[in-house]
Amino acid sequence: MTVITIQGLNHFFGHGEQKKQVLFNIDLKINAGEIVLMTGPSGSGKTTLLTLIGGLRVVQSGSLQFLGQELCQATEKKLVQVRRKAGYIFQAHNLHESLTAQQNVRMGLEVHPQYSVATMNKMAAEMLELVGLGHRLDHYPDQLSGGQKQRVAIARALVSRPQLLLADEPTAALDSKTGRDVVNLMQNLAQEQGCTILLVTHDSRILDIADRIINMEDGVLKNNTTNSVGTGLGSNLTH
């Protein structure tokens, strides 16, 4: 099954004389269960593409389909529906300092109206247990290490069992060992849930987890190749 299908995607920032094109004629397909890494220099358009795929920006031109749903010129209602099917992990963990680890993870469920508060608390606690933080439920972010904060962010992203996990430089602020631990955790949990991963990174130490590596430069996808040494989960699932 194809999770993401992009054809002829262009994107612009600004208006009038200040209008600037930042993505140029992007074509990309991502299949269910794949781990795809996107590399490229800063300012090349990687994060912009990630936010378009995740429904955080409106697609202006071309075609971007998420699970068969066209997102070009999509309404806010449709974008909210997309966000409910995706999980997000960012370079900065983006935890709310005034909330406990459990409350931060619970936020990943609050766009899903079918869950009661009691159910959300139970699911958040179970996911924190899975990432090794079952003993830190009531700790606030300033009581956690950098690696623990990113584990909370992973738990928040995966607690709703999304079909697509989008990660933007999730290891950038971590040392080598912690970064590897975080990526392995993300990979294992996604594999258990049958989740597809698109991960933006500059970290050459984690390229081996990918099924495919794509490179962005100046708003253009330069290559789209299978990773011959990858240990990604895609080969274990039906594409």
Side-chain angles (χ1 to χ4, degrees):
M1 181 179 74
T2 301
V3 176
I4 298 295
T5 303
I6 302 174
Q7 294 179 306
L9 178 69
N10 297 286
H11 197 74
F12 304 83
F13 288 147
H15 302 279
E17 294 182 358
Q18 302 300 316
K19 189 174 182 179
K20 179 182 178 182
Q21 188 166 357
V22 292
L23 295 178
F24 298 82
N25 200 35
I26 303 294
D27 292 327
L28 178 65
K29 286 189 177 182
I30 300 176
N31 294 320
E34 278 194 295
I35 296 180
V36 178
L37 265 57
M38 181 161 47
T39 64
S42 297
S44 59
K46 303 185 303 297
T47 296
T48 300
L49 181 56
L50 201 74
T51 56
L52 288 167
I53 290 171
L56 300 178
R57 298 180 193 270
V58 175
V59 177
Q60 301 166 340
S61 170
S63 174
L64 194 165
Q65 293 187 7
F66 184 155
L67 295 170
Q69 292 279 329
E70 178 58 62
L71 301 189
C72 186
Q73 305 298 330
T75 62
E76 180 61 24
K77 181 179 179 180
K78 182 176 280 190
L79 292 178
V80 168
Q81 291 173 348
V82 166
R83 292 173 203 148
R84 289 174 178 163
K85 297 175 182 176
Y88 307 87
I89 302 171
F90 302 99
Q91 176 177 342
H93 45 75
N94 289 353
L95 302 182
H96 286 261
E97 297 295 330
S98 62
L99 300 180
T100 64
Q102 184 177 20
Q103 290 168 333
N104 267 288
V105 174
R106 196 179 81 187
M107 289 188 68
L109 294 167
E110 290 179 351
V111 296
H112 298 268
Q114 69 268 36
Y115 298 122
S116 67
V117 171
T119 298
M120 289 192 291
N121 283 333
K122 181 175 182 289
M123 292 172 69
E126 289 172 349
M127 184 54 69
L128 282 166
E129 186 71 39
L130 285 176
V131 301
L133 292 176
H135 60 306
R136 294 282 193 267
L137 300 185
D138 297 323
H139 284 62
Y140 291 89
D142 65 1
Q143 298 172 307
L144 302 174
S145 68
Q148 288 173 332
K149 290 176 184 177
Q150 201 64 305
R151 285 172 179 261
V152 174
I154 291 171
R156 180 180 58 190
L158 290 174
V159 68
S160 65
R161 304 187 71 87
Q163 292 172 270
L164 176 66
L165 178 63
L166 300 169
D168 193 358
E169 298 281 4
T171 65
L174 304 176
D175 61 57
S176 179
K177 181 183 184 306
T178 305
R180 168 55 70 172
D181 289 346
V182 161
V183 166
N184 287 346
L185 175 65
M186 190 187 315
Q187 180 184 16
N188 291 337
L189 287 175
Q191 184 171 12
E192 290 172 11
Q193 295 189 2
C195 183
T196 303
I197 298 177
L198 176 60
L199 189 154
V200 168
T201 188
H202 285 107
D203 191 346
S204 60
R205 300 167 299 185
I206 65 171
L207 298 182
D208 60 291
I209 74 162
D211 294 306
R212 268 194 298 150
I213 299 172
I214 60 179
N215 183 259
M216 180 83 78
E217 189 173 327
D218 296 327
V220 177
L221 280 183
K222 291 291 187 180
N223 68 326
N224 184 358
T225 58
T226 300
N227 188 9
S228 60
V229 296
T231 59
L233 60 95
S235 57
N236 299 322
L237 298 173
T238 302
H239 287 192

